[in-house]
Every structure is written in structure tokens, then in C-alpha cells.
Amino acid sequence: MKTALTIAGSDSSGGAGIQADIKTMMANGVYAMSAITAMTAQNTTGVTAIMNATPEFLKEELDEVFTDIFPDAVKIGMVSDSSLIRVISERLRHYRPAYIVVDPVMVATSGARLISEDAIVTLKQELLPLSTILTPNIPEAEVLSKMPIRSEDEMVAAAACISDRYHCAVLCKGGHKVSDANDLLYRDNSFRWFRGKRINNPNTHGTGCTLSSAIAANLAKGFGLDLSVQRAKDYISGALSAMLDLGHGSGPMNHAYCFTGTYMEDAHFQKEQEEAGHEQTDK
């Protein structure tokens, strides 16, 4: 079984962060592990308290995972402290996992900054250059590119700027009144749109965590980057379409809506199925 590691904060309500990552990775057919950067007291209506891990403890978490069950892919979510970012980047340089998916959580949907300017600087210098793919939303892409994004053309320009600067692929997520439900993958000086249909569901807590974790899971299973993004986008669309309605605020998605079936498949299994189909056709 393929494996994936999430490095992120804990969400006590289970809709985002470590909890959403683990649910997503399991639903997408990989064994999930975690290194917790912070404890949060939160529910669907908001966050009331945050307690960061110490850099020393985070290093121990990472070492214990990498030296026993080496992850096939790593996903990194919100890390709000510069010292923690430095620990993560140093350990990743040491262990060199094959795939690193970074969800650069900096700006909330409301527009509120979630990490300090100092931590953003450290994130840019230490962690983003190690990434296989970044998954910013529109406000985060604006911060990383230092460009306004008000149209699809500006999405392309900002993604190109980020990709060139950090030498990685960039999945610029639509929404925020720009290319709603359409995501842009930019890499190797070319781009591709992943078009989607807006799902009328107000319960979207943890969508960013879920998408990046699903991409990491599919990379771990051997799918290429484009197909990993497509499968992740299809999975999250299904989770939103399940219309789970919990809590008094923006509730979580149903990560287990398709706990067996197509999202559990790995690339090798899919290839075998395609070959079997061709053999039947030939007969």
C-alpha cells in the first residue's frame, strides 16, 4: 500500500487540517500519517484558540515517520511559525521525498491573513522552492506573485510568475469571483484549465486541505500530475455534491462518500484494467 504524510494543524471539528487530510488520503487509497504543527480549538463557526507545536517536537514527529514508514508523498498545510517552517524544510531536504504538495495557507476566504509577514517570508525562502506543486487560492496567488488577479488571463500570468519564481508546478484555484470552480495548472511554461461546475453547497470547510491531500494521494499511487489533479478535483466535487450538513456554520464535506471504488485505485491497477479492456475488444 502506498503512503502519504500530512504536515499541518489539527482541526478539533474534523472538517479541515490533519483530520480532513487523513480522511481524504484514506478515501483515495493510501495509508495516511501525520506530523501536527499546531492544535486548534475550532468548529464550523470559527477558531477560538491555537497552540503551536515546538520546533523540537515537530522534528521528532517527522523523524519518527521518515525513519520507519517512508511516505511516497508529502502534503503540507498551514504552518504559521517561521521556526516550524525551517524545521520542515530542513527535514525535507534531508529525507528528500519524491513528491511535496504545498497548500500555502496564508489568506482565508474572508481575506483575513492567517500567518505573519515574517512567516510568509520564511515560507517563500525555505519551503516553496522544495515543492512539486503549490495549490494557492486567488488571494494567496496574489500574495505570492505580487500581482492583482481579476480575470482568467491574470490567473495565468500570476501562476506563471509563481512557477518561474519557485521552479514548481502551480495549481491556481478558481473562486473568489474569478473563474469560479475552474482551476488552472501551470507547469513547464504551459498551462491547462480544469473546468468544473459550481456546486451550490455552503458547507465548504476544508476544501483546500482536501484538494491538496487528494493530489498528494494520487501522486503517491503513481498517477501523473495532470491526472492526479483531475482525480482530486473529481473527488472533491463528489464530496461537496454529497451535501453533508453538520454544524451551525460552514460545515464539512462528506469525505467518505466514495470510500471504495474508483478513488482507491492506483495507477498500476488502472493500467491493468485498461489493458484487460483492450484484450476484450480485440477478441
Side-chain angles (χ1 to χ4, degrees):
M1 189 176 197
K2 297 299 184 180
T3 62
L5 166 66
T6 167
I7 306 171
S10 168
D11 173 3
S12 53
S13 69
I18 289 287
Q19 288 83 347
D21 295 344
I22 291 174
K23 293 173 187 178
T24 299
M25 289 172 177
M26 289 188 66
N28 282 270
V30 300
Y31 180 78
M33 301 172 286
S34 65
I36 299 176
T37 61
M39 302 290 289
T40 71
Q42 66 173 290
N43 58 27
T44 62
T45 65
V47 180
T48 58
I50 300 174
M51 183 173 65
N52 282 328
T54 65
E56 295 79 13
F57 187 79
L58 179 58
K59 180 180 181 298
E60 290 292 334
E61 291 185 272
L62 294 170
D63 285 340
E64 292 306 306
V65 171
F66 275 102
T67 58
D68 188 25
I69 306 174
F70 197 97
D72 293 298
V74 175
K75 172 265 168 86
I76 303 168
M78 182 178 173
V79 189
S80 59
D81 184 83
S82 290
S83 62
L84 298 177
I85 295 170
R86 292 190 187 96
V87 166
I88 294 168
S89 61
E90 189 278 327
R91 290 291 84 190
L92 291 179
R93 288 188 179 95
H94 177 76
Y95 290 112
R96 302 175 65 85
Y99 301 106
I100 301 173
V101 180
V102 177
D103 185 15
V105 182
M106 298 182 291
V107 185
T109 302
S110 64
R113 286 289 182 93
L114 298 174
I115 66 176
S116 67
E117 287 293 338
D118 177 64
I120 290 175
V121 170
T122 307
L123 188 75
K124 291 177 178 179
Q125 292 176 343
E126 299 285 341
L127 194 54
L128 301 192
L130 302 178
S131 308
T132 304
I133 182 171
L134 305 177
T135 62
N137 60 27
I138 295 294
E140 289 156 355
E142 289 180 323
V143 171
L144 293 176
S145 65
K146 298 182 181 179
M147 300 168 62
I149 302 175
R150 296 157 298 194
S151 67
E152 289 194 349
D153 287 343
E154 289 181 342
M155 278 181 73
V156 174
C161 175
I162 297 167
S163 179
D164 291 344
R165 183 171 296 161
Y166 300 109
H167 308 289
C168 64
V170 177
L171 182 69
C172 189
K173 296 177 290 190
H176 298 83
K177 300 180 181 179
V178 181
S179 194
D180 204 16
N182 299 321
D183 301 332
L184 170 76
L185 177 63
Y186 190 100
R187 62 166 175 157
D188 301 327
N189 298 314
S190 63
F191 64 89
R192 174 183 172 185
W193 284 101
F194 290 84
R195 303 289 180 180
K197 181 180 179 182
R198 179 170 177 79
I199 299 165
N200 188 23
N201 183 350
N203 296 306
T204 57
H205 185 55
T207 51
C209 306
T210 299
L211 181 65
S212 54
S213 294
I215 293 171
N218 282 288
L219 288 172
K221 292 189 296 183
F223 291 103
L225 187 56
D226 285 49
L227 190 51
S228 292
V229 170
Q230 185 64 68
R231 286 172 63 87
K233 189 169 177 64
D234 292 345
Y235 167 74
I236 198 171
S237 295
L240 285 167
S241 297
M243 293 296 174
L244 184 65
D245 188 17
L246 298 174
H248 296 91
S250 179
M253 297 169 289
N254 184 0
H255 293 92
Y257 82 97
C258 186
F259 208 69
T260 60
T262 187
Y263 300 107
M264 297 288 285
E265 297 171 2
D266 61 21
H268 179 69
F269 175 84
Q270 188 177 73
K271 184 177 180 181
E272 287 182 340
Q273 292 295 101
E274 290 173 352
E275 290 174 349
H278 290 317
E279 289 177 2
Q280 291 295 325
T281 301
D282 293 340
K283 292 177 182 179

